[in-house]
Amino acid sequence: MQEAEIKDFWNRNPCGDAQVELNRQDFESFFKKYDAFRYKEEAYILQCLDQISFTDKRVLEIGLGQGADAEQLIRRGARWSGLDLTPESVARVKKRFALRKLTYEAVKQGSVLEIPFEDASFDIVFSFGVLHHVPEIKKAQREILRVLKPDGELIVMLYAKRSLNYLFSISVLRRLGLLGLYASGCRPSGVYGQHVANAHGQGLWRYLQMNNFIHRNTDGPLNPYSKVYDIAEVQRDFPDFRIVRSYKRFMHAPPLPVGWLPLAKALGWHLWVHLRPR
Ligand SMILES: C[S@@+](CC[C@H](N)C(=O)[O-])C[C@H]1O[C@@H](n2cnc3c(N)ncnc32)[C@H](O)[C@@H]1O
């Protein structure tokens, strides 16, 4: 898996563009709509951020998307710097900050595999929904260790393996749905049609294998790479860190309407992990 392929995917499909229509003539109203959507769907994010002390901390955020969380960290007092693989995300984040007159230290385009910041310069590295898209994760965590101060903290959100989404929706329901569509010879439009096309392109059984099917069911059917995590896997992939605490949030298992179920702590899709350098 080449990083260039991953960069190309995220540059063409910035996080959230599939949910909120982009308006290049009026970024202010786009960001307003995007943030309203994000923090209505995933209201718990703000509650989690409120539990973390960002005030006067030097924070590096890795993987910026539309910059919504970046704005939240700055508003919570972080001395914020950011890094994203794609020029599109970096441009949008700069646009957001300019429109909203937000103060920050730096925003750079680059990879977590080669972080363009000095050794031991951050109190917190924050990365939401990003590191599960990095195949060379052990190299990434070594780079994060390098830029963190020795008493610094890494805070990540990774997709949870022990979740209703992974264990039932993706592993069972969506595979059966695809089998049905494929067998019926139906070629629907949109996302489902892309899954059928993927299955024809790669071969049905190969496409349905979990180490392949998973990418196509987290961030759209063209997403080249995702991994899901339990705590043991986090410890294996972040060997230079020790886990301080972890918790799950966000009941999400599309197409099932499960957002209302009070089971997020047990079966939520978002696994938050706080780690410290060993
Ligand atoms: C799923 S989006 C999440 C963005 C944002 N944190 C959010 O929650 O909306 C993943 C982001 O990580 C970036 N990304 C992916 N691989 C990266 C890497 N190796 N280094 C830095 N950023 C990366 C992508 O360009 C994209 O903006």
Side-chain angles (χ1 to χ4, degrees), residues 20 27-37 96 100:
V20 179
F27 265 102
E28 177 52 37
S29 77
F30 169 68
F31 289 140
K32 202 167 165 198
K33 278 189 203 145
Y34 176 74
D35 292 5
F37 164 81
R96 173 190 285 266
R100 300 194 166 173

Side-chain angles (χ1 to χ4, degrees), residues 3 6 10 15 34 38 61-65 69 83-86 89 110-112 128-130 133-134 219:
E3 194 173 61
I6 293 174
W10 289 114
C15 230
Y34 176 74
R38 180 181 183 85
E61 182 175 351
I62 297 174
L64 308 176
D69 292 349
L83 174 70
D84 197 281
L85 195 54
T86 65
S89 171
S111 172
V112 66
F128 183 97
V130 178
H133 297 304
V134 178
D219 296 76

Side-chain angles (χ1 to χ4, degrees), residues 9-24:
F9 172 75
W10 289 114
N11 204 47
R12 285 170 195 266
N13 303 279
C15 230
D17 273 15
Q19 288 80 26
V20 179
E21 196 184 342
L22 178 63
N23 178 356
R24 287 193 186 274

Side-chain angles (χ1 to χ4, degrees), residues 169-170 174-175 177-179 181-182 186-204 206-208 212-223 254-255:
S169 183
I170 298 175
R174 292 193 192 195
R175 281 160 129 183
L178 179 62
L179 262 179
L181 273 179
Y182 190 96
C186 196
R187 292 279 188 122
S189 60
V191 167
Y192 293 111
Q194 185 63 56
H195 280 295
V196 175
N198 288 352
H200 280 283
Q202 295 183 20
L204 179 64
R206 183 157 175 260
Y207 188 59
L208 285 173
N212 186 28
F213 197 60
I214 186 65
H215 321 317
R216 315 299 181 168
N217 284 276
T218 58
D219 296 76
L222 297 174
N223 172 32

Side-chain angles (χ1 to χ4, degrees), residues 51-94:
Q51 303 302 311
I52 301 165
S53 169
F54 289 107
T55 311
D56 290 331
K57 302 263 174 69
R58 285 203 78 208
V59 177
L60 173 65
E61 182 175 351
I62 297 174
L64 308 176
Q66 313 283 356
D69 292 349
E71 176 168 344
Q72 294 299 324
L73 301 194
I74 293 169
R75 292 195 185 283
R76 283 164 173 73
R79 294 168 56 199
W80 185 95
S81 296
L83 174 70
D84 197 281
L85 195 54
T86 65
E88 185 62 30
S89 171
V90 167
R92 290 193 194 187
V93 171
K94 285 184 175 166

